[in-house]
Amino acid sequence: AAAPDDRHRTLEGEIHIKGNEPFPTAILETASHDSWELVGLPMDEARALQGRKVKVEGTVIQAPGPGVWLPSVLVQGVPQPVGR
């Protein structure tokens, strides 16, 4: 059986906000152009970091795979800016 922390993931990328009120979605786009939905990230935090490169830790809710339009990760803690 897989270890419970197999789903823990650290992702790095830029935060973008897609969609419109009342349902905006915070997205992390990695250097390899994978996009992840950031679940549980407060929208004001996402807006403050929009366009910045950050490191996000979290638990994979929806893993990338066939038929998955947008994988998602449940964010733990606050995304940390990376570099400048």
Side-chain angles (χ1 to χ4, degrees):
D5 58 1
D6 270 7
R7 297 168 66 80
H8 186 269
R9 198 66 64 85
T10 301
L11 300 169
E12 257 185 49
E14 262 184 35
I15 289 192
H16 299 282
I17 296 171
K18 305 226 168 123
N20 299 316
E21 300 293 349
F23 300 114
T25 303
I27 304 284
L28 184 85
E29 186 177 322
T30 67
S32 54
H33 299 292
D34 295 319
S35 289
W36 290 79
E37 179 180 356
L38 300 177
V39 176
L41 178 65
M43 203 41 67
D44 54 347
E45 280 180 26
R47 285 201 174 91
L49 293 166
Q50 184 162 232
R52 307 230 356 233
K53 193 167 181 198
V54 297
K55 183 186 288 183
V56 173
E57 295 209 22
T59 304
V60 175
I61 300 172
Q62 177 76 59
V68 174
W69 176 70
L70 187 64
S72 58
V73 63
L74 179 62
V75 176
Q76 293 163 342
V78 177
Q80 299 300 312
V82 175
R84 304 191 292 124

